[in-house]
Amino acid sequence: QVQLVESGGGLVQAGGSLRLSCVASGSIFSIRTVGWYRQAPGKQREFVAQIFSGGGTNSADSVKGRFFISRDNAENTVFLQMNRLKPEDTAVYFCTMQGYWGKGTQVTVSS
């Protein structure tokens, strides 16, 4: 139906940056609203950021000023630019659209 594949995670030192990508494919015509969520071990999945079809964005207070979501409609790809990373940002990051979820990509921030 709809497949979402995240990439770009890895291990980074506190203060560093990573850019995550989410590529959508399958039975879709174009990307609609897409969100990024994250889940740390033993914690509930939490909202990080989202981007609407018109390009507007919204993000959680915990990442405002550090994380920026963007979209390349031609490539059905959504990005999450993560700057000034903190150890508390460590989690598996998932993208989601219309109830579909990717399998996630691990982000680990060392102190």
Side-chain angles (χ1 to χ4, degrees):
Q1 295 180 334
V2 175
Q3 294 83 44
L4 302 171
V5 179
E6 306 96 334
S7 63
L11 175 64
V12 65
Q13 190 174 6
S17 298
L18 285 173
R19 188 171 85 151
L20 307 184
S21 299
C22 173
V23 179
S25 62
S27 58
I28 57 171
F29 183 75
S30 63
I31 293 181
R32 299 177 180 177
T33 301
V34 178
W36 283 98
Y37 286 70
R38 66 187 182 186
Q39 186 169 26
K43 304 291 181 60
Q44 293 186 346
R45 191 169 298 183
E46 66 174 345
F47 169 79
V48 176
Q50 64 183 334
I51 186 165
F52 304 100
S53 60
T57 64
N58 184 42
S59 62
D61 289 343
S62 60
V63 305
K64 273 187 168 65
R66 299 189 298 120
F67 291 10
F68 302 92
I69 189 169
S70 61
R71 181 177 63 202
D72 185 338
N73 287 331
E75 297 182 357
N76 282 346
T77 303
V78 172
F79 304 97
L80 183 68
Q81 178 66 48
M82 306 186 296
N83 301 316
R84 293 184 284 123
L85 284 160
K86 305 174 180 180
E88 51 262 45
D89 295 319
T90 295
V92 177
Y93 284 71
F94 301 88
C95 64
T96 182
M97 182 187 72
Q98 298 184 164
Y100 293 94
W101 294 83
K103 60 183 181 297
T105 184
Q106 176 72 50
V107 172
T108 303
V109 184
S110 64
S111 59

